[in-house]
Amino acid sequence: MQTTSPSSWLWRGIAITLFTLLTLLLSTPHSNSHTPALAQAQPPEFTPTPRNRIFFWKVTYSTLAPDGVTRPVILVNEKYPGPKIEVNRGDYVTVIVENALDVPTSFHWHGMTMRGDPWYDGVPGMNQCPIPPGTNFTYAFGTDDVVGTHWWHAHFENQYIDGLVGAIIIRDPPATNPFLRAYDEERNVILTDWYHQATGPLLQTYMSPASNGHEPVPNSGLINGKGTFDCKNVIPADLPCNQTTDRAVFHVLPNRRYRLRIINTAAAASFLFSIDGHQLLVIEADGTDLNPFMVDSLPINTGQRYSVIVVTNQEIANYWMRAEIGMDCLPKGNHNLDPIVLGEVRYAGAGVATPTSVGRWVPKPPVKGQLPEENPAFVAACQDLDLFALHPLKAVPILEPITNNYDIKVSFKRNPEDNIMRAYLNDITFAGDAWNPTIVQNLNENAKYTVAEHVMRLDRRDAVVQIILDTSGGTEHPFHLHGHTFQVIAQGEGVYEEGKTPINSINPLRRDTATVPKNGFTVIRFKVDNPGVWSLHCHIEWHVTTGLVMQFLELPDELRAMGIPKHVGKLCETPAPAGFKAHTGFMPAAAAKPAVAAFVNGTTTTFNH
């Protein structure tokens, strides 16, 4: 088996570490008691005893115009992005959800392993039934084995595209935070693509033979829920649009070090993130602390998270923050999408003037009716950062020997039953029953699963699972695994050949969402040690709709012995709404036109646990 050279990796790691330390030392600002601090929300206080952090959520319909185009949305506590969950590692998180919609909903906690709490992972048809309309449900889970930058989103139908997303920040205690003195302040940067129509009508078109499997292309992009759009390019032309220049603004002080927690919550878009005139020191990927790695721009696919440190050591001025949508990663045909999504980084003392900074690439002005010119750097931006350059700060040996090996082929073809272009993993297009989840079926030790449920049993504790994801002949796909942080063993173009393809064998990257390149492969490994039902799926949300999903039933006997909390099982007593059919843009026949809901303050309560 061909592997990376230990000596070359060691010297590369030493060089990166020395360069990083030098950078941080040189950029450390001199103490200045006269420098005013900028107001910002304070993180929860660290306490010697873990706390139960309680969050109250109300899910309602509303309307929103984050880029100037007004459209119906679904929000938590009337916020977009939704309320942030910020706790300390070891705290217990309780989220009390009031579903004020007239349709079901559910929530997934992306990056949380749900170890010991598998019924709260939030996937209808796998580990819970949906939350019925007009009812409350409580999620509760621990954070003992997770840290870093994560996010939450709806996991029923395609509701997260309509606004149900937000950040989860799990803070490391000071005693174990390796970057405690490497930065002075931090900011969250939530990226998303944005559609000018609600998901329902888009789904009805997409899930029809006429779409030919081409998923909806977004109309714009947002940074922290803000963006701009040229109203002259609105399609259809009668959509309400007010021209706006309201962008996300990040106020910074000169000569400070800022940790940016960057989260891609998009339905489909990959971004190339950068700040004019500034470099990015990558220190985290999907909750895993990394040996620091310097880049000029950062590719980030949907579902992924990175932390970077930015030093504000440039001339006092205002600079563009750029999140460039990778047009090559999307279906062709949308001519009104401006792929350059902008925010502003404003130095204290620079005023409020619009930035005049120039990026590393300047596109020609867009022409209506023509596809916009694309940044040549984005040729590689539909792929992840160089796998062999990213290594965890805390080394963990490669998982071996392999006991369960799965070769998973991704394909798209017309379903002979309905003539709709659907997605397949090894010629199976996923179709589960949201009201008969696998975790409930597993209570019967003789349960039999349908082919369409695509259940893979993992019965042996501490077994090592290897998954080879193959997109040869197809486009790129960001795959996410619930319940685990996996090792990324190999990634590249062409076909993976065991024993011939170079692998990342020494301290391989650990994350939970990895891109399978166009016409290529990604190989991941994880240990069987977390009883539950865990989804593996492409995080392009439209591809989830068409069946690019499978599930692992992990340690089913141990899971059965754990039982299911009564209030979780009670969800399944409410049947599916009349006329419900999955992935059709379903709305109840009696559903009223969405109205703007009253604002409800979300509150956080703490008490000893």
Side-chain angles (χ1 to χ4, degrees), residues 112-163:
M112 304 293 101
T113 62
M114 292 296 159
R115 194 172 295 275
D117 306 301
W119 36 78
Y120 294 130
D121 192 50
V123 183
M126 294 191 188
N127 31 55
Q128 73 164 85
C129 290
I131 304 170
T135 67
N136 294 347
F137 181 76
T138 299
Y139 290 96
F141 52 90
T143 62
D144 289 339
D145 65 336
V146 289
V147 73
T149 309
H150 309 285
W151 63 300
W152 59 263
H153 59 82
H155 219 297
F156 180 75
E157 295 294 287
N158 299 84
Q159 289 176 340
Y160 98 65
I161 305 175
D162 287 329

Side-chain angles (χ1 to χ4, degrees), residues 265-345:
T265 68
S270 176
F271 290 93
L272 189 65
F273 179 86
S274 63
I275 299 175
D276 292 354
H278 297 73
Q279 288 187 299
L280 313 173
L281 189 67
V282 183
I283 62 168
E284 178 211 352
D286 295 358
T288 298
D289 292 327
L290 302 175
N291 286 314
F293 180 70
M294 191 73 77
V295 298
D296 292 324
S297 56
L298 177 74
I300 179 169
N301 218 329
T302 179
Q304 294 183 329
R305 295 88 64 208
Y306 286 98
S307 281
V308 301
I309 294 176
V310 177
V311 181
T312 54
N313 56 4
Q314 300 301 303
E315 178 183 351
I316 294 179
N318 297 331
Y319 298 85
W320 289 122
M321 173 184 288
R322 301 176 186 271
E324 304 176 48
I325 294 176
M327 299 294 288
D328 191 49
C329 315
L330 298 172
K332 306 302 181 186
N334 190 336
H335 295 173
N336 73 342
L337 170 61
D338 182 354
I340 310 298
V341 185
L342 298 173
E344 297 184 27
V345 176

Side-chain angles (χ1 to χ4, degrees), residues 124-125 130 155-158 200 203-204 206-208 418 420 422 430-435 544-547 576-587:
H155 219 297
F156 180 75
E157 295 294 287
N158 299 84
L203 262 180
Q204 290 173 355
Y206 178 49
M207 297 303 292
S208 70
D418 54 21
I420 294 174
R422 295 188 181 273
F430 179 81
D433 181 351
W435 282 267
V544 172
T545 301
T546 55
F580 175 82
K581 187 177 180 181
H583 308 318
T584 58
F586 168 81
M587 291 291 287

Side-chain angles (χ1 to χ4, degrees), residues 23-24 26-33 35-38 40 182-187 251-260 278-279 309-314 345 347-348:
T23 300
L24 292 175
L26 292 176
S27 61
T28 301
H30 297 292
S31 176
N32 185 349
S33 59
T35 301
L38 297 179
Q40 58 179 317
Y183 58 91
D184 305 295
E185 301 179 47
E186 63 179 69
R187 302 283 189 271
H251 296 278
V252 299
L253 296 170
N255 297 313
R256 300 277 282 179
R257 303 160 302 171
Y258 289 86
R259 178 177 184 164
L260 303 183
H278 297 73
Q279 288 187 299
I309 294 176
V310 177
V311 181
T312 54
N313 56 4
Q314 300 301 303
V345 176
Y347 275 58

Side-chain angles (χ1 to χ4, degrees), residues 22 35 62 79 109 118 131 156 160 170 192 234 247 266 272 302 327 354 369 395 398 470 493 523 540 590:
L22 181 61
T35 301
S62 187
K79 294 181 178 180
W109 320 94
I131 304 170
F156 180 75
Y160 98 65
I170 312 295
T192 193
V234 168
R247 297 184 174 92
L272 189 65
T302 179
M327 299 294 288
T354 300
I398 187 171
D470 175 11
E493 297 180 351
V523 182
I540 295 174

